[in-house]
Amino acid sequence: MAEQCAKQDDKVKLGKYEFSSRLFVGTGKYATFPLMAEALEASGCEVVTVAVRRVNLTDRSKESLLDYVDRKKYTILPNTAGCFNAEEAIRTARLGREAGFSDLVKLEVLGDQKTLMPDPIDTLKACETLVKEGFTVLVYTSDDPIVARRLQDAGATSVMPAGAPIGSGQGILNRNNIRIILEQLTVPVIVDAGVGTASDVAVAMEMGCQGVLLNTGIAHAKDPVKMARAMKLACESGRLACLAGRIPKKLYATASSPDKDF
């Protein structure tokens, strides 16, 4: 996928925003807020996702994860996690913007409680509305190339296909679909969900993805801080490998040494 990487700048561009780090990290599921803060630092990320519905926005006298996210260092990407229809997601996105986060939003509209797979119809509906309202919309979706193209046509700033079900740690299950999405779309493609370890991140970046968003893979690791650093290095090495261009795969051996000595 060297051609895909060649189209990209050193920074990932999302609307009016530019970021050097291509690793986007969530803030949920950590044992403690201080541990979360340490893991964010180790990851080298510049963007952290925050579930609007799970943050106390009214009583600031109580401890909140926002107390442990340095707004001077990180850009907050509010998300609509936990929403199961377009109206709910739109309302949550508006709440995040009114709370002063930004016009950025990671749009999630889930289809059911068991699989947490996205609802393609309501996701598209919510995307169209939020784009019209001036949001910079990053959309969580399945790895269906047709749905991905429809979301781009609806004005999504980034399309974020799932590598695997949320929190499953299975890595990228359908590389072919991700490859098709990368070939068809012009907006940044960021793999979101299902990443379990550093090699999963490297694979996504080697394929030509603009970035990877993850949460559980770090937060539920035995050592979240070490895993956060591993994810950072994997993101960087995968990107470099994509730019470098891998050798073609062959069925038979090819000697490393030349046929004749110099």
Side-chain angles (χ1 to χ4, degrees):
M1 296 299 293
E3 296 83 0
Q4 184 71 27
C5 283
K7 300 176 184 178
Q8 303 172 9
D9 298 322
D10 290 334
K11 294 186 177 182
V12 58
K13 298 181 179 179
L14 301 172
K16 65 183 180 183
Y17 302 90
E18 292 187 359
F19 304 104
S20 297
S21 172
R22 295 173 181 270
L23 188 66
F24 301 75
V25 180
T27 53
K29 302 183 179 181
Y30 288 91
T32 66
F33 290 143
L35 179 61
M36 175 200 74
E38 192 176 356
L40 294 179
E41 177 70 25
S43 75
C45 72
E46 296 174 69
V47 179
V48 297
T49 64
V50 173
V52 176
R53 291 163 59 92
R54 297 167 185 160
V55 175
N56 181 4
L57 299 175
T58 55
D59 188 356
R60 298 298 291 134
S61 65
K62 295 182 179 179
E63 186 180 49
S64 166
L65 70 84
L66 294 176
D67 299 328
Y68 295 84
V69 177
D70 186 348
R71 299 289 293 272
K72 295 180 181 179
K73 180 183 296 185
Y74 304 110
T75 296
I76 290 182
L77 173 61
N79 68 57
T80 62
C83 294
F84 285 84
N85 58 64
E87 291 73 21
E88 196 175 22
I90 293 167
R91 184 168 58 251
T92 302
R94 291 169 177 164
L95 179 61
R97 183 161 67 177
E98 291 170 4
F101 289 145
S102 69
D103 65 336
L104 281 167
V105 64
K106 179 195 166 188
L107 175 63
E108 286 185 29
V109 186
L110 304 178
D112 65 77
Q113 290 279 1
K114 185 174 182 179
T115 67
L116 299 182
M117 293 297 291
D119 182 319
I121 297 174
D122 271 32
T123 296
L124 181 60
K125 179 181 176 181
C127 180
E128 291 171 338
T129 298
L130 293 174
V131 167
K132 289 178 181 177
E133 294 185 4
F135 283 89
T136 300
V137 186
L138 287 64
V139 190
Y140 166 66
T141 182
S142 69
D143 60 10
D144 184 335
I146 306 303
V147 174
R149 192 169 68 235
R150 291 289 300 274
L151 290 168
Q152 175 179 266
D153 294 343
T157 297
S158 172
V159 174
M160 310 176 78
I166 293 174
S168 68
Q170 297 184 66
I172 300 177
L173 296 180
N174 195 335
R175 298 187 190 184
N176 287 339
N177 274 22
I178 301 295
R179 287 179 61 187
I180 293 170
I181 291 172
L182 285 166
E183 290 177 2
Q184 292 186 347
L185 269 56
T186 57
V187 299
V189 175
I190 299 172
V191 164
D192 177 15
V195 171
T197 191
S199 58
D200 300 331
V201 174
V203 166
M205 298 306 297
E206 288 172 6
M207 292 176 67
C209 293
Q210 284 266 25
V212 175
L213 191 152
L214 57 90
N215 184 182
T216 309
I218 292 177
H220 279 187
K222 292 182 179 179
D223 188 327
V225 177
K226 286 183 179 178
M227 183 60 79
R229 177 160 170 74
M231 298 296 196
K232 172 183 183 291
L233 295 174
C235 190
E236 293 174 354
S237 63
R239 167 71 176 163
L240 285 173
C242 184
L243 289 169
R246 65 162 295 143
I247 63 171
K249 294 182 179 180
K250 298 178 181 179
L251 180 60
Y252 295 104
T254 302
S256 299
S257 303
D259 293 335
K260 295 181 179 180
D261 292 329
F262 291 103

